[in-house]
C-alpha cells in the first residue's frame, strides 16, 4: 500500500494554527451574550403573549432590536474565533454599552440582572486587552 502524506494543519489568521484558549474563552463569552439577547427577546415576546402588555408595539420593537443585536454580537464572536481584527472594536463598544445598562441594575432594583450583564462585560473587556488575545487580533 502506498504511503499517504500526512495532512498539514492549515494555518489560521494571526500566525500559528492553534487558537489560544483565552481567545476562545472571550469568544465564548461574547457568544453567550448573544444567546442572552435571544433569551431577552423571547422573554419580551412571552410577556406579549401571556400578559396584557401596556405597550405592545414598543415590546415588539424592543424584541426585534434585541434579535438584530444578537445576530451582530454572534457575528462578532465568530470574527473573534477567526482572529479577525475588525471584531475587536464592535465587541469593545458592546461591552461598554452592556456595562452602562448593567451597572444601574446592580445598584438598583434588579441586582441579579445587573450581575448577568456586568460580569461577562468585565471579563470580556479584560480578556480583550490581555497580551495573548490582543496579539492574536492585531495581526
Amino acid at each position: 500500500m502506498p504511503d499517504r502524506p500526512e495532512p498539514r494543519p492549515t494555518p489560521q489568521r494571526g500566525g500559528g494554527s492553534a487558537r489560544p484558549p483565552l481567545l476562545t474563552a472571550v469568544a465564548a463569552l461574547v457568544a453567550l451574550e448573544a444567546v442572552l439577547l435571544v433569551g431577552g427577546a423571547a422573554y419580551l415576546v412571552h410577556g406579549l403573549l401571556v400578559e396584557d402588555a401596556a405597550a405592545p408595539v414598543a415590546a415588539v420593537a424592543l424584541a426585534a432590536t434585541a434579535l438584530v443585536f444578537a445576530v451582530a454580537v454572534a457575528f462578532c464572536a465568530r470574527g473573534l474565533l477567526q482572529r479577525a481584527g475588525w471584531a475587536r472594536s464592535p465587541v469593545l463598544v458592546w461591552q461598554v454599552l452592556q456595562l452602562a445598562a448593567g451597572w444601574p441594575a446592580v445598584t438598583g432594583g434588579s441586582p441579579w440582572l445587573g450581575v448577568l450583564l456586568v460580569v461577562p462585560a468585565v471579563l470580556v473587556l479584560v480578556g480583550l486587552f490581555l497580551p495573548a488575545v490582543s496579539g492574536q487580533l492585531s495581526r
Side-chain angles (χ1 to χ4, degrees):
M1 237 182 184
D3 289 331
R4 289 186 178 172
E6 298 266 337
R8 294 188 344 215
T10 57
Q12 298 177 3
R13 289 184 207 167
S17 60
R19 184 182 309 117
L22 284 174
L23 179 59
T24 304
V26 168
L29 279 173
V30 174
L32 175 66
E33 292 171 352
V35 170
L36 291 174
L37 277 167
V38 171
Y43 178 76
L44 287 169
V45 170
H46 171 66
L48 275 174
L49 299 175
V50 175
E51 301 170 10
D52 188 25
V57 174
V60 168
L62 188 57
T65 303
L67 289 175
V68 168
F69 276 118
V71 169
V73 170
F75 185 68
C76 289
R78 183 174 175 260
L80 289 176
L81 285 175
Q82 294 176 342
R83 300 178 187 173
W86 61 262
R88 184 177 181 180
S89 295
V91 169
L92 284 171
V93 169
W94 180 251
Q95 302 315 308
V96 171
L97 291 173
Q98 195 166 307
L99 280 172
W103 188 251
V106 168
T107 59
S110 301
W112 64 271
L113 180 61
V115 167
L116 198 61
L117 291 170
V118 168
V119 170
V122 169
L123 291 175
V124 170
L125 280 172
V126 169
L128 283 174
F129 287 103
L130 291 174
V133 174
S134 65
Q136 291 293 315
L137 297 176
S138 64
R139 295 179 187 207

